[in-house]
Amino acid sequence: MKKNNIFARIINKQIKSDILYQDDIITIFKDIFPKYPVHVLIVPNKKIKNLNAINNTNQNILNHMLIHTIKIAKKLKIHKTGYKVLINCNKGGGQEIPHLHIHLMGGVKK
Ligand code: 5GP
């Protein structure tokens, strides 16, 4: 039997993580190795390997991910100081986990 990737296990609550938001389409949780004071991951519940797998049929999921990226940035109060949004695609793009995710990083005061 194929083993679920780590994000699928977080979404299914088979392993513990700091989940900040979840609905039928996405799950948002804290990155285990934060690179910024605030570093969260916005992940589709349904397995989509990476950005290359987005098409006309599933683009609504990416849209939902982006809308909630902005909402969670506001909720975490990093929207005024500013934040960075990153999607790594495939190994050459720095993607380690083969399950589409948006990195939301911020909380730096300048
Ligand atoms: P990627 O390099 O694939 O774009 O990003 C994967 C991210 O997932 C990394 O920032 C890494 O710290 C995070 N990560 C890896 N394993 C876990 C885990 O078990 N739990 C959580 N919360 N984050 C993880």
Side-chain angles (χ1 to χ4, degrees), residues 6-7 10 29-33 35 41 88 94-97 101 103:
I6 195 91
F7 287 176
I10 288 172
F29 53 89
K30 290 187 184 174
D31 196 293
I32 202 167
F33 301 122
K35 280 117 198 140
L41 302 170
N88 295 325
Q95 183 180 14
E96 285 173 14
I97 311 280
H101 50 283
H103 294 258

Side-chain angles (χ1 to χ4, degrees), residues 9 11 20 32 36 43 53 88 99:
R9 282 183 273 151
I11 292 160
L20 305 179
I32 202 167
Y36 277 70
V43 184
N88 295 325
H99 187 136

Side-chain angles (χ1 to χ4, degrees), residues 64-78:
H64 191 79
M65 289 167 71
L66 262 179
I67 290 292
H68 280 276
T69 299
I70 301 161
K71 281 190 179 177
I72 200 84
K74 288 179 178 168
K75 194 172 172 200
L76 297 172
K77 301 192 189 312
I78 59 170

Side-chain angles (χ1 to χ4, degrees), residues 15-88:
I15 57 167
K16 219 173 125 51
S17 74
D18 249 318
I19 294 181
L20 305 179
Y21 175 83
Q22 187 166 50
D23 63 23
D24 289 349
I25 302 167
I26 58 163
T27 302
I28 302 179
F29 53 89
K30 290 187 184 174
D31 196 293
I32 202 167
F33 301 122
K35 280 117 198 140
Y36 277 70
V38 173
H39 186 172
V40 302
L41 302 170
I42 298 90
V43 184
N45 297 340
K46 185 180 150 195
K47 168 84 187 280
I48 296 172
K49 190 178 171 198
N50 60 35
L51 211 48
N52 287 334
I54 292 293
N55 54 45
N56 289 342
T57 312
N58 61 11
Q59 62 178 337
N60 59 316
I61 297 176
L62 184 60
N63 186 54
H64 191 79
M65 289 167 71
L66 262 179
I67 290 292
H68 280 276
T69 299
I70 301 161
K71 281 190 179 177
I72 200 84
K74 288 179 178 168
K75 194 172 172 200
L76 297 172
K77 301 192 189 312
I78 59 170
H79 59 300
K80 288 195 176 150
T81 49
Y83 55 84
K84 186 188 295 228
V85 171
L86 174 72
I87 303 177
N88 295 325

